[in-house]
Amino acid sequence: MNLNPQQARSLVAICLHAAFADGHQGAEEREQVRKVAESLGREAEIDFIALYQDVLLGRLGLEVAVAGLDEANLRRLAFELAVGVCEADGGLD
């Protein structure tokens, strides 16, 4: 699948939102998000630090990130990647 930069950015942003959803930013979740960003970054350049700041500071909300995924297969991928981030620390809460 070839991703454009906006799609890759949206996928990583959704993973970041998933990591922040439980109020804990554990090392395992951060590592999983980093792996996702690296794997997607091979196809589309992602400035991970800037993206992290945009999500953390509320400049890139979940609604905007989801709107960047206009295909059903990308939305399914976003879901699976987000679940992987949430489960990275051993459980869901």
Side-chain angles (χ1 to χ4, degrees):
M1 169 187 318
N2 291 329
L3 298 175
N4 67 45
Q6 178 57 40
Q7 292 167 328
R9 183 173 160 85
S10 290
L11 288 168
V12 176
I14 290 167
C15 288
L16 286 166
H17 279 284
F20 298 149
D22 64 359
H24 300 84
Q25 290 83 41
E28 298 91 353
E29 289 176 331
R30 279 195 298 275
E31 178 63 16
Q32 187 66 22
V33 173
R34 186 191 61 75
K35 287 178 182 178
V36 168
E38 284 180 358
S39 72
L40 296 175
R42 291 186 186 109
E43 296 186 38
E45 281 297 314
I46 299 171
D47 183 345
F48 182 69
I49 294 173
L51 179 56
Y52 191 95
Q53 291 172 352
D54 286 346
V55 170
L56 193 60
L57 297 174
R59 295 186 298 233
L60 180 56
L62 185 57
E63 300 81 14
V64 173
V66 170
L69 303 176
D70 56 353
E71 299 173 23
N73 61 337
L74 291 174
R75 291 188 296 272
R76 280 191 297 274
L77 178 60
F79 174 81
E80 294 300 333
L81 292 173
V83 169
V85 169
C86 291
E87 291 177 340
D89 62 359
L92 300 173
D93 59 352

